[in-house]
């Protein structure tokens, strides 16, 4: 949805109201209520694909570079490992306990809500993983799928004051109100990478202003490093225990490349 929402960024910049945008802030003109953003996108007519190649992100996922950097910072990634491991291990232990007491089915709705809250608070990379799981009925029961679908646009938002400061820093503004007026104080949607506000430019044009979460790239890089670490252990376990050559590291790398394409808002706007 983000790529299509931001496809009209060029039109907004043509108004000459803003300097060049940076990676973590973008806007698009809006002609319908913000609450109907998704419907407005889905109703757009199909357009012929441009002959020009798709714009590539200016930053790309480089697992080897991340590994060289983070292996020299053991305290940082070990701390994050603990932050991820214990909440997830606790949740798995609850499921095992429910099964042992033959009450897993009765508590499934409760556990699904607990999993949603857990994933929502573990950062962008984990949230993206939860979004992927929401479309896998072969892996999770329907109760979990329904809850995890809320990760698409109902992730807990970060404070609006912080979002406005990021816009000011990104666009080189002294004050947010020099260019924008918020039409709704709170974000109309919040997802794994960023959140969207309904705003108005000085010329009266209504836009959707998308702001990236603080330290998003840094947190994603760290989480992908941790996931690769666990993937190497998992691959070794499957080979030894089941004789299956399952390359979990490649799965994480593909996942990382996908997330990095979504982090660069300028590439999304050019597309």
């Amino acid at each position: 949805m983000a790529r299509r929402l931001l496809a009209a960024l060029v039109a907004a910049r043509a108004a000459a109201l803003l300097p060049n945008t940076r990676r973590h802030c973008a806007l698009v003109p809006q002609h319908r209520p913000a609450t109907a953003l998704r419907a407005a996108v889905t109703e757009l007519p199909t357009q012929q694909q441009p002959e020009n190649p798709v714009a590539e992100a200016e930053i790309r996922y480089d697992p080897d570079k991340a590994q060289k950097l983070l292996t020299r910072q053991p305290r940082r990634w070990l701390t994050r490992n603990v932050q991820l491991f214990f909440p997830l291990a606790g949740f798995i232990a609850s499921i095992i306990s429910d099964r042992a007491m033959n009450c897993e089915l009765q508590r499934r709705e409760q556990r699904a809500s607990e999993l949603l809250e857990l994933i929502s608070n573990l950062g962008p990379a984990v949230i993206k993983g939860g979004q992927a799981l929401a479309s896998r009925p072969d892996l999770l029961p329907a109760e979990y799928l329904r809850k995890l679908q809320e990760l698409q646009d109902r992730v807990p938002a970060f404070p609006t004051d912080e979002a406005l400061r990021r816009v000011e820093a990104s666009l080189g503004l002294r004050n947010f109100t020099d260019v924008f007026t918020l039409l709704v104080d709170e974000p109309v949607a919040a997802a794994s990478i960023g959140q969207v506000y309904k705003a108005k430019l000085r010329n009266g044009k209504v836009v959707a202003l998308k702001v990236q979460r603080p330290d998003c790239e840094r947190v994603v890089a760290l989480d992908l490093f941790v996931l690769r670490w666990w993937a190497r252990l998992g691959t070794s376990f499957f080979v030894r225990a089941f004789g299956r050559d399952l390359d979990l590291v490649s799965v994480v790398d593909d996942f990382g490349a996908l997330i990095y394409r979504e982090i660069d808002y300028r590439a999304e706007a050019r597309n």
Side-chain angles (χ1 to χ4, degrees):
M1 181 179 75
R3 287 188 174 88
R4 301 177 69 183
L5 274 174
L6 294 169
L9 177 59
V10 175
R13 291 176 64 180
L17 292 172
L18 302 172
N20 290 337
T21 55
R22 297 181 183 174
R23 284 196 304 263
H24 55 267
C25 180
L27 57 89
V28 300
Q30 291 296 302
H31 305 289
R32 304 190 184 191
T35 54
L37 285 176
R38 180 177 298 173
V41 171
T42 57
E43 291 170 7
L44 288 174
T46 303
Q47 298 180 354
Q48 184 177 358
Q49 293 296 322
E51 295 181 0
N52 295 330
V54 175
E56 294 291 339
E58 297 180 16
I59 52 171
R60 296 189 181 185
Y61 174 55
D62 188 341
D64 295 330
K65 181 179 178 181
Q67 182 168 341
K68 290 178 183 178
L69 175 65
L70 290 169
T71 49
R72 297 196 296 266
Q73 303 175 29
R75 182 176 180 179
R76 182 181 166 199
W77 70 266
L78 285 172
T79 299
R80 184 57 174 164
N81 218 331
V82 171
Q83 292 172 344
L84 293 174
F85 174 77
F86 281 100
L88 293 172
F91 176 78
I92 293 173
S94 297
I95 299 298
I96 294 174
S97 175
D98 291 345
R99 288 182 175 274
M101 295 187 295
N102 295 319
C103 60
E104 189 273 331
L105 184 59
Q106 294 88 333
R107 294 184 178 177
R108 191 172 287 178
E109 288 283 355
Q110 174 189 340
R111 299 305 183 199
S113 297
E114 292 173 357
L115 181 60
L116 174 63
E117 182 177 1
L118 177 64
I119 291 177
S120 297
N121 292 307
L122 286 181
V126 179
I127 292 173
K128 293 298 293 184
Q131 291 173 348
L133 284 175
S135 61
R136 295 296 303 271
D138 56 320
L139 297 179
L140 292 175
E143 293 86 349
Y144 287 89
L145 298 179
R146 286 195 296 270
K147 278 296 178 181
L148 293 182
Q149 285 169 1
E150 296 182 18
L151 293 171
Q152 300 299 331
D153 56 9
R154 280 183 277 180
V155 176
F158 61 95
T160 293
D161 289 345
E162 186 172 4
L164 301 189
R165 288 194 296 270
R166 288 180 62 77
V167 173
E168 292 170 347
S170 178
L171 302 180
L173 303 176
R174 179 172 297 179
N175 294 298
F176 179 84
T177 53
D178 290 344
V179 172
F180 300 101
T181 299
L182 280 185
L183 300 180
V184 181
D185 291 336
E186 297 301 320
V188 296
S192 57
I193 303 298
Q195 56 198 39
V196 181
Y197 291 88
K198 184 180 180 182
K200 184 169 65 175
L201 299 176
R202 287 182 300 177
N203 63 3
K205 183 175 293 184
V206 177
V207 297
L209 181 64
K210 186 176 181 182
V211 187
Q212 196 169 103
R213 290 183 178 275
D215 296 323
C216 185
E217 183 184 348
R218 180 173 175 269
V219 173
V220 166
L222 178 59
D223 284 356
L224 289 172
F225 176 81
V226 172
L227 290 174
R228 280 185 111 244
W229 187 80
W230 282 105
R232 284 194 293 271
L233 295 180
T235 297
S236 177
F237 170 77
F238 276 104
V239 170
R240 294 180 182 179
F242 304 106
R244 297 187 60 182
D245 187 11
L246 182 63
D247 189 358
L248 296 177
V249 175
S250 293
V251 174
V252 173
D253 287 346
D254 290 342
F255 180 57
L258 174 64
I259 296 179
Y260 264 70
R261 284 197 294 270
E262 296 187 14
I263 288 177
D264 194 334
Y265 285 177
R266 285 184 294 186
E268 290 189 7
R270 290 195 300 273
N271 290 328

